[in-house]
Amino acid sequence: SVLYVRNKCGASRAAWVARDNLHLDDLTMRNVSEDAQALAELEGASGKGQAPCLVTGGEVIHESEKVIVRLADAAAPIR
């Protein structure tokens, strides 16, 4: 799984902070503002350069709220 984020983007920042707060250190994070290859990968996986974006198991999740919910589910699934 990869979390793509962008500089100077509140939604990206929220997803980034959620990743850190949930201690998901194994989740790869790529900054498309600083890494042209990461942007190309994001565009290839999702068809657009919108960040934040979580790509996991072939699924592409764009909206920050949905990304954060998915991260929370991954960190502590409720049973």
Side-chain angles (χ1 to χ4, degrees):
S1 299
V2 180
L3 175 62
Y4 294 94
V5 296
R6 181 179 305 281
N7 289 343
K8 299 181 183 178
C9 171
S12 286
R13 184 70 181 146
W16 186 334
V17 168
R19 174 191 172 266
D20 289 348
N21 285 343
L22 293 166
H23 305 284
L24 295 172
D25 301 324
D26 291 341
L27 174 62
T28 300
M29 190 166 61
R30 307 282 309 271
N31 189 326
V32 300
S33 297
E34 299 174 358
D35 184 347
Q37 183 178 351
L39 179 58
E41 289 173 9
L42 172 59
E43 291 170 343
S46 71
K48 54 186 174 179
Q50 179 183 338
C53 180
L54 178 64
V55 178
T56 181
E59 183 180 6
V60 176
I61 304 168
H62 277 291
E63 299 303 319
S64 62
E65 295 87 3
K66 292 178 182 177
V67 169
I68 292 167
V69 167
R70 188 54 160 301
L71 295 178
D73 288 347
I78 298 173
R79 297 180 195 252

